[in-house]
Amino acid sequence: MMSVVGSQPFIKPMQTSPSVSPGIQRRHTLPASEVRPLNTQDAISVFEIEREAFISVSGECPLHLDEVRHFLTLCPEFSMGWFEEGRLVAFIIGSLWDQDRLTSDALTLHKPRGSTVHIHVLAVHRTFRQQGKGPILMWRYLQYLRCLPNVRRAALMCEDFLIPFYRKSGFKVLGRCAITVANLTFTEMWYPISGHAYMRRNSEAIRFPQHPLTLPLTKTDEQVDV
């Protein structure tokens, strides 16, 4: 789907900026692009993007604002946000699940001992769509999951028109989902997390830290398109 940019896409040392004279120094210090785990302070921005992306299409949001805060409190390490100069432009929110198939409980629960990551939502701000950001962020997220020793697969539910999009990211159709929302039905899809043994042994060194770390996107990432 997209080019590989390295086996450790998240932990890249910050490059020291060359010394410049005060007259040409940048007026702000926000990185042009960064990927980091979300926190509860991001909840409103998350919900605004989600609401605009889904309400106009299906009339339903995967997560309401209180549910966004709920998961960003319980398991922020299973979220990922893409920021451009401090502005959230795309995100993923997930949680752990402990059964083979998704049930209605998976919509609200986080099972810390589970080995399946339930991806609740992937959304991109309307201004930044059609730029390949959704697939790039999903790729980064799946590579991150490969570094977690207890995660064995990712699962999600989607409407049928989104199946080709997720197939491009490597997801496979599992079958009709048991969950319905209003009059909407869904297909359940899954992705095997078969991380390399080396990556799993060294996962403590490359997983998201407890405190957000600036994770600059590479130029190669910006050039990938779908």
Side-chain angles (χ1 to χ4, degrees), residues 141-170:
Y141 187 76
L142 294 173
Q143 294 305 306
Y144 166 63
L145 296 184
R146 289 165 65 91
C147 302
L148 304 183
N150 297 322
V151 173
R152 292 295 174 264
R153 66 178 192 143
L156 57 83
M157 57 186 231
C158 67
E159 293 181 74
D160 288 350
F161 74 91
L162 287 171
I163 290 175
F165 172 85
Y166 288 112
R167 274 186 168 149
K168 288 181 180 178
S169 293

Side-chain angles (χ1 to χ4, degrees), residues 59-128:
E60 295 286 341
C61 280
L63 297 174
H64 296 293
L65 180 57
D66 58 338
E67 294 166 332
V68 171
R69 290 191 173 116
H70 171 71
F71 285 116
L72 294 186
T73 299
L74 285 180
C75 48
E77 68 274 19
F78 291 103
S79 69
M80 184 177 288
W82 184 334
F83 294 79
E84 296 279 358
E85 296 187 346
R87 178 187 183 187
L88 182 66
V89 301
F91 69 88
I92 293 173
I93 293 179
S95 63
L96 284 177
W97 182 240
D98 61 356
Q99 298 180 31
D100 292 336
R101 299 295 296 266
L102 299 176
T103 70
S104 57
D105 286 342
L107 300 180
T108 57
L109 298 181
H110 168 60
K111 298 286 190 175
R113 296 185 180 181
S115 60
T116 295
V117 173
H118 173 203
I119 299 175
H120 295 272
V121 57
L122 160 65
V124 179
H125 191 283
R126 63 181 181 274
T127 306
F128 297 88

